[in-house]
Amino acid sequence: MRQGRMPEQRVRVAVDAMGGDHAPAEIVAGAVAAARDHGLEIVLVGKEPEVRRLLTIHGVDGQVEVVPADQEVRMHEGALSAWRRTRSSVAIGCELVRSGQAQALVSAGSTSAVVAAATRRLGTAPGVLRPAIAVILPTRPSPMVLLDVGATADPSPAMLVQFALLGTAYAGATLGVADPRVGLLSIGAEPEKGNRLARRAHAHLAAAPVRFVGNVEGGDLLAGAADVVVTDGFTGNVVLKSLEGALRFAVTEIRDALTAHPVARLAALPHRGRLRRLASRFDPDTYGGAALLGLSQTVVIVHGAARARAVTNACLLARDLAGTGVVTQPLAELRPAAGQDPPDT
Amino acid sequence: MRQGRMPEQRVRVAVDAMGGDHAPAEIVAGAVAAARDHGLEIVLVGKEPEVRRLLTIHGVDGQVEVVPADQEVRMHEGALSAWRRTRSSVAIGCELVRSGQAQALVSAGSTSAVVAAATRRLGTAPGVLRPAIAVILPTRPSPMVLLDVGATADPSPAMLVQFALLGTAYAGATLGVADPRVGLLSIGAEPEKGNRLARRAHAHLAAAPVRFVGNVEGGDLLAGAADVVVTDGFTGNVVLKSLEGALRFAVTEIRDALTAHPVARLAALPHRGRLRRLASRFDPDTYGGAALLGLSQTVVIVHGAARARAVTNACLLARDLAGTGVVTQPLAELRPAAGQDPPDT
């Protein structure tokens, strides 16, 4: 049995303290909360003096381990910087995971830099061509897995099929869906609608051992048309950020509309809590961590603007994923993880 | 001076009565409203007995011209069907425009079929490689042009540059923006972020005679980061439908939240009108028509689920666009339309 499968195994989570728009303060705060409030074993990787100073402020200096990394990859930097800077916090975080000193890495750094560093240093799981980033969207009636939202901008049709397998296993493990319906994001219901990639992927998916339900359109994403929606990392990233932006926009507009006039403001008072909860459901800080699927080790990516709460949630996700090993399975083992016999092999 | 430029010229709008999920009833109702309430000269193209029956119901038989077309292209059909069926309503509608019997075509039919028929029968404007569909999104503080939302799924970087020119002219003419800021939809602010197409298009756009402000991300779309946002027809279509879906979803969720409990329901009463107005602002029926830019004649595409109101709005847009000729200008004439001397030529 593979190590990562044993839930009773102790999981240490390495956290890239220097990645993110609000690093290191919010990252350290989130990691400290994960350790203190949830009992996680955390290793903070970053510029030691800064990180230690923050730990002292939180009153936990000496209680959370720090591994020094004297370089960082800034938010606007990409893959090249991540490869070159071998002493960056993200590179050293990967090395901790590779060497077994930690079982998962959490980073809010530049997505392309984290993906590049993790892919190079940890490698893909056996059989996997390229990794994919999966988010769980809080849709109704049940949540939905969307991938890839930014790891592989120009995948081949074969890679999209692998994303469907990875997403199926992920939905099974995290959402408990036994035989998740897989949709392909496209611009029409018919197989021949779409760009070149989507049309070719449709044909491949129809023959793949997943429960393929065909194309889904942008308007179906929040309408529960599928449990797993597969797309390339470019479209997925643009769509995810568009959805987040649209929901943020709607909540703001509604709040403004509800409080535009004194009488309306009074009438709106009982609704404040409801609006706040709704806004928070679509706040990326709530669902926070996105799993980097298809690598040989567990990596959780947090959005760049992450605050402490998102980092804490990402640490919890990383612990759970490392415990089950679902995101790091070899491709050949993925199908049974969906809880079903493969329809064909 | 080109014919189309003279606003005083009488504009006849051909309406494809058979295209759309609710054709012909809603299409005819919308066209009749355009004629009766707004004084437009309308030509309905479709199955004559059905269309005449509907005109009789509206009490305007004999007052709105009907041109018979005994074939139709169904909503799930694409380019091939549009090419083959020469007696389809969309094909005959195009022919009316080509021969000068009408000055614009409005269709809610299958987008790929309308684009294919219009491109083949009307041709692109001089210098234009491929057409693009542009929508005006009701963003704050000012509206925004998004293109392409579905005409050209796999454009080249050079085509994206042309879309930027077309969008600049369109924003100038319809929104009155003198020197619109053009953004490229991508997955990071830096030029090297994006898929192959976006990275190459970024370099081309930086050298093009438009006011290029760089990449914009999905989350910036509704935040007023640019006046014109350029993308390929696949991403644009997925994003447009995602935005519409997200806003529909938010309004439903908020309505549910506001009326979940009796007390809340009572307090929500004063807000009903506001919610309805907000919902309606993001209802595609309100902004309705999307201009097919870059053809030698005016074509307005309405979304497939269009009701009468959307069709009426599309007819009004078609009349205005045909009157100014802005969507059919040769590429070489597009730059001055932005209200600025080209920065380089």
Side-chain angles (χ1 to χ4, degrees), chain A residues 273-305:
Chain A
R274 280 185 193 87
L275 266 182
R276 209 179 302 121
R277 279 194 296 279
L278 190 71
S280 126
R281 212 171 111 219
F282 294 109
D283 182 344
D285 274 8
T286 309
Y287 51 92
L292 187 52
L293 305 181
L295 294 189
S296 63
Q297 305 281 347
T298 303
V299 177
V300 170
I301 289 178
V302 199
H303 65 98

Side-chain angles (χ1 to χ4, degrees), chain A residues 167-177 180 321 324-327 329 337-338:
Chain A
T168 294
Y170 190 61
T174 58
L175 305 178
V177 189
L321 294 177
T324 62
V326 67
V327 297
Q329 284 174 304

Side-chain angles (χ1 to χ4, degrees), chain B residues 33-127:
Chain B
R36 196 177 44 203
D37 306 341
H38 302 275
L40 258 70
E41 202 171 321
I42 298 284
V43 189
L44 281 164
V45 188
K47 297 188 173 168
E48 202 173 2
E50 275 189 73
V51 174
R52 289 222 179 275
R53 189 181 52 81
L54 289 162
L55 289 176
T56 305
I57 293 169
H58 288 288
V60 291
D61 196 11
Q63 293 165 56
V64 175
E65 196 185 337
V66 180
V67 169
D70 57 5
Q71 292 180 323
E72 57 185 299
V73 178
R74 289 181 190 281
M75 292 312 283
H76 65 272
E77 295 181 314
L80 272 180
S81 313
W83 284 333
R84 280 186 194 139
R85 257 161 260 161
T86 54
R87 288 174 296 115
S88 69
S89 53
V90 67
I92 291 180
C94 287
E95 288 304 320
L96 289 176
V97 174
R98 199 179 61 82
S99 64
Q101 295 172 69
Q103 282 67 48
L105 173 68
V106 168
S107 178
S110 153
T111 300
S112 50
V114 177
V115 171
T119 306
R120 169 171 275 204
R121 290 171 192 281
L122 305 176
T124 53

Side-chain angles (χ1 to χ4, degrees), chain B residues 164-258:
Chain B
L165 286 162
L166 292 164
T168 294
Y170 190 60
T174 59
L175 305 178
V177 189
D179 189 19
R181 297 160 301 158
V182 176
L184 173 69
L185 192 57
S186 192
I187 59 174
E190 301 74 30
E192 69 276 12
K193 296 270 173 85
N195 57 8
R196 270 190 299 270
L197 174 65
R199 289 196 308 268
R200 289 176 56 201
H202 191 286
H204 283 68
L205 282 166
V210 293
R211 186 177 162 197
F212 183 51
V213 296
N215 290 348
V216 299
E217 298 188 67
D220 307 327
L221 275 178
L222 298 182
D227 304 302
V228 176
V229 172
V230 175
T231 188
D232 64 274
F234 181 83
T235 308
N237 186 280
V238 168
V239 161
L240 175 67
K241 290 183 177 165
S242 297
L243 289 175
E244 287 170 0
L247 295 166
R248 210 162 47 228
F249 180 83
V251 168
T252 306
E253 290 271 320
I254 287 160
R255 192 179 288 143
D256 290 355
L258 294 192

Side-chain angles (χ1 to χ4, degrees), chain A residues 153-160 184 194-204 231-233 235, chain B residues 154 234:
Chain A
D154 288 294
S156 66
M159 290 173 196
L160 283 188
L184 173 68
N195 57 8
R196 271 190 298 270
L197 174 66
R199 290 195 308 269
R200 290 176 56 201
H202 191 286
H204 284 67
T231 188
D232 65 90
T235 307
Chain B
D154 288 294
F234 181 83

